[in-house]
Amino acid sequence: GEDVEQSLFLSVREGDSSVINCTYTDSSSTYLYWYKQEPGAGLQLLTYIFSNMDMKQDQRLTVLLNKKDKHLSLRIADTQTGDSAIYFCAESAMNSGYSTLTFGKGTMLLVSP
Amino acid sequence: KAGVTQTPRYLIKTRGQQVTLSCSPISGHRSVSWYQQTPGQGLQFLFEYFSETQRNKGNFPGRFSGRQFSNSRSEMNVSTLELGDSALYLCASSSIPGTGGEAFFGQGTRLTVV
């Protein structure tokens, strides 16, 4: 079955870059997503990458995809205290003929001033 | 464009009761998916509806059910509540079935079973 793994915690200082890593197992994944969840809130879609791409950049966010190693990363440049949240990696994988999102357990990013 | 709206935001129920949660997707979106989020299990897929039909179902007992109306609004129902059903229930809408496109989440309904 599908499995998405993420490290649980990352701490950085304001202004530094943050890199959150994710590995997945389903080679048939078509899309890979990054979501952000702030305390008491739902999930906010940050960005996604199609499986035939290697990289996608969107302002301060850079997504890198290594399909061979099934490794996905999210880089946040010039990290701000407002970026403190839990970040979820998710893959779109087939389940009984239909695609569903499978999430990692989330990485808590703590940004200190 | 209004986002995904889930009601109520918070609920407290006692064991054995039943509960109904509501989700209104983004206007024009016909696919609604439901997820359960708990600290131990993370985010787990419950089911997906598209055009009033359940397309896919996760590995949850039959106490969990749902439906979708002709205006794409969806409800999920949990009967005979157990303490372990305490969770944040999230709804996501997308314009096409499955997750080939972007899925947008509501803020969730926090259910506490006592």
Side-chain angles (χ1 to χ4, degrees):
Chain A
E2 315 89 27
D3 200 14
V4 179
E5 303 271 347
Q6 299 178 240
S7 52
L8 291 181
F9 186 75
L10 176 65
S11 178
V12 301
R13 298 186 75 88
E14 193 173 24
D16 288 349
S17 291
S18 307
V19 179
I20 302 172
N21 294 300
C22 168
T23 58
Y24 60 97
T25 57
D26 193 331
S27 56
S28 67
S29 294
T30 51
Y31 287 87
L32 293 136
Y33 299 81
W34 284 104
Y35 284 88
K36 175 184 179 182
Q37 186 176 37
E38 296 182 78
L43 271 68
Q44 174 194 352
L45 176 65
L46 286 177
T47 187
Y48 63 94
I49 189 167
F50 189 52
S51 59
N52 68 354
M53 297 169 64
D54 298 323
M55 186 183 91
K56 181 178 180 182
Q57 187 149 4
D58 184 1
Q59 299 182 357
R60 292 190 297 122
L61 305 178
T62 303
V63 179
L64 294 177
L65 174 60
N66 181 329
K67 278 196 72 174
K68 175 175 165 289
D69 295 337
K70 297 191 185 71
H71 182 267
L72 182 75
S73 68
L74 174 70
R75 178 177 181 269
I76 306 172
D78 187 25
T79 314
Q80 304 296 307
T81 54
D83 295 325
S84 293
I86 300 176
Y87 291 80
F88 292 91
C89 165
E91 64 172 348
S92 171
M94 297 303 289
N95 177 13
S96 302
Y98 297 102
S99 60
T100 61
L101 282 175
T102 300
F103 288 86
K105 291 283 175 71
T107 300
M108 179 178 287
L109 173 64
L110 180 64
V111 184
S112 53
Chain B
K1 196 185 243 189
V4 179
T5 304
Q6 291 189 245
T7 56
R9 288 292 311 278
Y10 303 93
L11 265 178
I12 300 176
K13 292 284 188 179
T14 55
R15 277 181 299 176
Q17 286 188 311
Q18 73 156 14
V19 67
T20 299
L21 313 181
S22 178
C23 172
S24 293
I26 290 170
S27 177
H29 284 191
R30 293 163 62 195
S31 174
V32 174
S33 300
W34 289 89
Y35 292 83
Q36 181 196 64
Q37 185 179 25
T38 58
Q41 299 298 318
L43 280 148
Q44 293 186 287
F45 171 74
L46 280 156
F47 26 66
E48 181 190 11
Y49 286 87
F50 180 76
S51 293
E52 302 177 64
T53 301
Q54 186 181 89
R55 293 182 71 248
N56 202 357
K57 190 175 192 303
N59 189 24
F60 277 82
R63 299 185 298 107
F64 291 81
S65 63
R67 59 179 175 168
Q68 187 179 34
F69 301 94
S70 57
N71 62 358
S72 295
R73 189 178 71 85
S74 176
E75 289 181 346
M76 68 163 279
N77 183 279
V78 188
S79 61
T80 320
L81 283 165
E82 300 176 1
L83 295 179
D85 297 332
S86 294
L88 180 67
Y89 289 88
L90 292 163
C91 154
S93 83
S94 61
S95 55
I96 61 174
T99 53
E102 303 169 25
F104 295 90
F105 282 78
Q107 290 197 292
T109 295
R110 170 90 44 202
L111 172 65
T112 302
V113 182
V114 297

